[in-house]
Amino acid sequence: MLDIKYLRKNVAEATRRLQDRGIESEKLTTLLSLDKARREAIQQVESLKAQRNEVSDKIAYAKRNKTDASEAILAMQEVGSKIKALDARQASLDMEVKNLAAHLPNLAASDVPVGPDEAANVEQRVWEPKTYGQRLKAHQEAPEWLKAHYEVGETLGILDFERGAKVSGARFLYYVGDGARLERAVYNFMLDEHRQEGYTEMITPIVVNDAAMFGTGQYPKFQDDAYRVEGLEQTYIPTAEVPLTNYYSGETLPAEDLPIKFTALSPSFRKEAGAAGKDTRGLIRLHQFNKVEMVKFTKPEQSYEELESMTANAENILQKLGLPYHVILLSTGDMGFSAAKTYDVEVWMPQQQVYREISSVSNTEDFQARRMHITYRNEAGQLALVHTLNGSGLAVGRTVAAILENYQNPDGSVTVPEVLRPYLGGQDKLMATPHH
RNA sequence: GGAGAUAUGGCACAAUCUGGUACUGCAACGGACUCGAAAUCCGUCGAGCCGCUUUUGGCGGUGUGCGGGUUCAAAUCCCGCUAUCUCCUCCA
């Protein structure tokens, strides 16, 4: 949620910055005129309420002294009905204002490239391992024998998309045998790394209420992509960002505790409405996938520093896994609803010869904190909104996909990245093995 | 799932039956005493949110778990909901 006072006072600037996020100027004009009407209604009704309070005191006083107050009561009956009507009018204006405001995306930070879509994104840096050994190099032309990750997984018998579709539907799968073990190794490795970086490990509810979905900005605008629990006002989380960030909703945090850092593994549920036909194969786009998430609560002045370090925490995972990647800064048109600034980390997928998003790290500044009222007391002793950040660290399924492609051998086996071997009982290779 | 109880400032509680300025204590803050502190004494203290404003402040509104209703007036009466506790039931 944007600061309505900022919008009132800086109309021209706000209009321009909203336009950068793809919002037409009429939206703001409408919002501000409703806000003005709302404040006028408040003034009217409040002066009547002040009058009522005053007279009510006099009536109470008269009653205590057993004096007649019927005249004042009669007069107040009329005031009361006026207040009721004005209250109703104000409530409906309140709702309109809130509704409009709740649909406005966050404003982009000043150093975010302006542009309508991903074409305006700016590459920040490219990373690749110093030595590849026998492995394919990044950007090396794909050899004949190289298979897509889902073919590798099916050939080795460790990913079963067919039975996933049979039992659940399209875009669900079973991990089988070494596939399940590899997935578990990957997320255990990630959680261990983040714990060492000072993140507190959490296991969260994976069903949350509507207030939580509103708090992080998924609702009201993006309800169509969420798995709602039938008949209840609850939703299967699309990311652990929702329960992790809402952990402190409505609370005031001790300043000396900031920054607070959480990490959690959770399944993530997405309907992927409107994504039909896009990246349909394999582990890339599923209705349910595992993700290790990072969330931070910071003081405003430290949030951009913390954005950089959180991005580094995501990159660290890929570096230790030896997976080539690059980092891009998203443009105003490509960022998510709640973000003020976002880095995407994209891993190299050799079979398709593209970088594929594996992490998205965002600073939402006070956008989410305002929606869910998370504050701290600043040096001046005043309550102020914290800044919240979130980032994937990383998408687990996509990491498995990247390993299956990047560590694939000509004989169809897959070498296990060294850092994962302790998590797999020392196993250094995945080969086709019967599992039943 | 069933029955009962509870929800009031940072904390502990009173007022609820019988509607009329939300009690008291602790904590906190300011001051006195003191070289300083503790103790003591005096004073202040409803957080947050909203509006107005001449903006280190002032005034008003809201605010007794949440949402409605009745009333001149609701912590108090009525309806709905949520959470917690106890017992039963169920369960890993």
Side-chain angles (χ1 to χ4, degrees), chain A residues 307 310 336 338-343 360-364 388-391:
Chain A
L307 176 67
M310 186 183 272
S338 297
K341 183 175 178 178
T342 299
Y343 292 114
S360 189
V361 185
S362 299
N363 184 0
T364 76
T388 61
L389 296 84
N390 63 81

Side-chain angles (χ1 to χ4, degrees), chain A residues 261-318:
Chain A
K261 299 152 74 170
F262 291 153
T263 186
L265 163 75
S266 84
S268 303
F269 299 90
R270 300 186 183 178
K271 282 208 174 148
E272 299 295 350
K278 260 200 211 152
D279 317 316
T280 42
R281 302 293 304 272
L283 294 170
I284 303 304
R285 197 171 291 276
L286 296 162
H287 288 313
Q288 177 197 328
F289 59 95
N290 286 320
K291 183 160 57 64
V292 169
E293 184 74 4
M294 304 175 281
V295 158
K296 287 183 186 178
F297 305 83
T298 78
K299 294 177 189 172
E301 63 269 22
Q302 66 191 174
S303 67
Y304 278 98
E305 200 182 305
E306 295 293 337
L307 176 67
E308 297 302 322
S309 70
M310 186 183 272
T311 308
N313 297 150
E315 291 176 61
N316 165 61
I317 301 291
L318 290 173

Side-chain angles (χ1 to χ4, degrees), chain A residues 202 306 332 359 361 414:
Chain A
M202 309 276 265
E306 295 293 337
T332 54
S359 173
V361 185
V414 173

